[in-house]
């Protein structure tokens, strides 16, 4: 069991370091630029892995409660360290952003590092809180408290990460002043659709699927569902709704504004999900959930 946790603890930071070093040597990028893109790359790879695991689990579980698939617990163990890693990776992106804005001394002394950390926590409070919740609550709930039941629902939750690649690409495009290109607009539409389908509609679908399984109205499902499920939904779904409103607001601005100011389309990130943030707030976790 703990071998998978150790593997994840090595894989995600190792992939980040390898990608960053490759971009610096092959592309000639600075430390900060390489860190930003590497963070997005790792987030996207994690999202593809999670979504693929989710599809496999869903396809193999005919009984949404009793059927099991070994990949469910295995990927939970492997992916949990990602959220701890991503908190640090997001901090590196935030510090790079300060340096780009002219605060070249950011993080160069103990006092300034403390101020940078506080500023990061204030700016990315919801995302950091989301990631901490994923590790401290969702990990034991998914691995221990459900007692081997509901692998199908866990597979559905993995699909929340489908929105993360478009979020990551959008942030990279904004980072390099490509927010007015056709690619960014197309990517914004994809992000809007995937976030709505895989994060906003995800939680109601879970209750609908169980209601259909148990032959009961959807409104009665919260009365019989385990408290951990209701608590997780009560805390995570409002975040997805909040981040989705920011995405919609940014999308509207993107297609109506003619000014050169960067749009706010990526102030939401993703990874239950999932998915993560360098330049602005998002969800997930990715949405990073997210």
């Amino acid at each position: 069991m703990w071998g998978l946790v150790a593997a994840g603890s090595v894989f995600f930071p190792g992939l980040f370091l390898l990608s960053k070093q490759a971009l610096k040597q092959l592309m000639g990028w600075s430390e900060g630029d390489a860190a930003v893109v590497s963070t997005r790359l790792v987030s996207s790879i994690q999202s593809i892995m999670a979504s693929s695991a989710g599809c496999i689990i869903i396809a193999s579980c005919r009984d949404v409660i009793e059927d099991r698939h070994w990949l469910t617990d295995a990927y939970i163990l492997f992916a949990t360290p990602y959220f701890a890693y991503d908190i640090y990776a997001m901090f590196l992106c935030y510090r790079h952003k300060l340096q780009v804005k002219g605060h070249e001394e950011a993080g160069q002394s103990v006092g300034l590092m403390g101020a940078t950390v506080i500023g990061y926590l204030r700016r990315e409070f919801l995302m950091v809180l989301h990631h901490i919740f994923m590790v401290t609550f969702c990990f034991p709930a998914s691995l221990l408290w459900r007692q081997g039941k509901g692998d199908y629902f866990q597979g559905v939750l993995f699909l929340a990460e489908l929105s993360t690649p478009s979020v990551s690409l959008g942030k990279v495009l904004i980072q390099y002043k490509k927010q007015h290109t056709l690619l960014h607009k197309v990517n914004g539409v994809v992000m809007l659709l995937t976030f709505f389908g895989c994060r906003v509609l995800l939680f109601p679908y879970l209750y609908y699927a169980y209601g259909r399984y148990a032959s009961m109205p959807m409104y009665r499902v919260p009365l019989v569902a385990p408290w951990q499920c209701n608590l997780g939904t009560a805390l995570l779904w409002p975040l997805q709704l909040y981040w989705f409103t920011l995405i919609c607001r940014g999308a509207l601005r993107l297609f109506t504004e003619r000014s050169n100011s960067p749009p706010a389309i990526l102030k939401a990130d993703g990874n239950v999900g999932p998915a993560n943030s360098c330049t602005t707030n998002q969800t997930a976790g990715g949405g990073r959930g997210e």
Side-chain angles (χ1 to χ4, degrees):
M1 181 174 96
W2 295 111
L4 287 171
V5 176
S9 300
V10 172
F11 176 78
F12 294 110
L15 182 61
F16 169 78
L17 293 174
L18 180 63
S19 172
K20 185 178 70 170
Q21 193 64 26
L23 289 173
K24 288 169 61 179
Q25 291 186 354
L26 298 179
M27 305 295 293
W29 290 1
S30 67
E31 177 81 14
D33 288 342
V36 168
V37 175
S38 296
T39 299
R40 298 297 148 219
L41 177 63
V42 174
S43 295
S44 297
I45 291 175
Q46 193 281 140
S47 72
I48 293 172
M49 295 171 65
S51 301
S52 300
C55 290
I56 294 171
I57 294 166
I58 291 170
S60 68
C61 293
R62 297 183 179 274
D63 187 308
V64 301
I65 298 297
E66 299 297 336
D67 284 357
R68 301 220 61 194
H69 194 285
W70 66 268
L71 194 54
T72 308
D73 288 351
Y75 194 75
I76 291 171
L77 288 165
F78 179 76
T80 295
Y82 164 80
F83 294 99
Y85 142 80
D86 197 50
I87 292 176
Y88 178 68
M90 289 190 298
F91 171 73
L92 293 181
C93 294
Y94 174 79
R95 189 172 64 176
H96 172 62
K97 181 182 177 182
L98 292 182
Q99 292 172 343
V100 168
K101 285 185 174 182
H103 303 282
E104 299 294 338
E105 73 282 1
Q108 298 300 316
S109 67
V110 175
L112 290 173
M113 176 63 76
T116 303
V117 171
I118 292 174
Y120 162 68
L121 293 176
R122 287 177 177 173
R123 183 175 182 83
E124 305 292 351
F125 175 74
L126 287 179
M127 186 58 59
V128 172
L129 187 64
H130 169 272
H131 281 25
I132 292 174
F133 181 76
M134 293 295 292
V135 174
T136 59
F137 179 83
C138 293
F139 172 72
S142 299
L143 196 66
L144 304 173
W145 298 339
R146 65 187 183 93
Q147 298 179 338
K149 305 289 185 180
D151 279 18
Y152 173 85
F153 294 107
Q154 190 64 53
V156 173
L157 286 169
F158 286 159
L159 294 184
E161 293 296 325
L162 276 172
S163 63
T164 300
S166 58
V167 171
S168 296
L169 175 59
K171 291 192 174 188
V172 171
L173 291 174
I174 283 182
Q175 183 75 20
Y176 294 101
K177 313 299 183 184
K178 303 295 184 180
Q179 62 266 38
H180 299 299
T181 62
L182 178 61
L183 175 60
H184 185 264
K185 292 182 179 180
V186 172
N187 183 71
V189 173
V190 173
M191 181 174 66
L192 187 71
L193 295 176
T194 55
F195 200 96
F196 179 73
C198 299
R199 291 182 182 263
V200 174
L201 294 183
L202 182 144
F203 292 98
Y205 172 78
L206 294 175
Y207 285 87
Y208 164 77
Y210 184 82
R212 185 177 59 179
Y213 169 83
S215 300
M216 67 173 62
M218 183 177 171
Y219 69 85
R220 291 187 55 196
V221 174
L223 302 178
V224 299
W227 67 268
Q228 297 94 335
C229 298
N230 290 329
L231 178 60
T233 299
L235 294 177
L236 291 176
W237 195 35
L239 279 178
Q240 312 308 319
L241 294 174
Y242 168 70
W243 284 323
F244 184 67
T245 59
L246 295 181
I247 291 176
C248 290
R249 187 187 308 169
L252 180 63
R253 184 181 305 176
L254 176 65
F255 288 101
T256 59
E257 221 177 45
R258 292 185 177 182
S259 67
N260 293 325
S261 59
I265 189 171
L266 294 174
K267 286 192 175 180
D269 187 2
N271 346 127
V272 170
N276 322 275
S277 177
C278 265
T279 57
T280 51
N281 275 332
Q282 190 259 352
T283 167
R288 245 207 201 262
E290 140 132 36

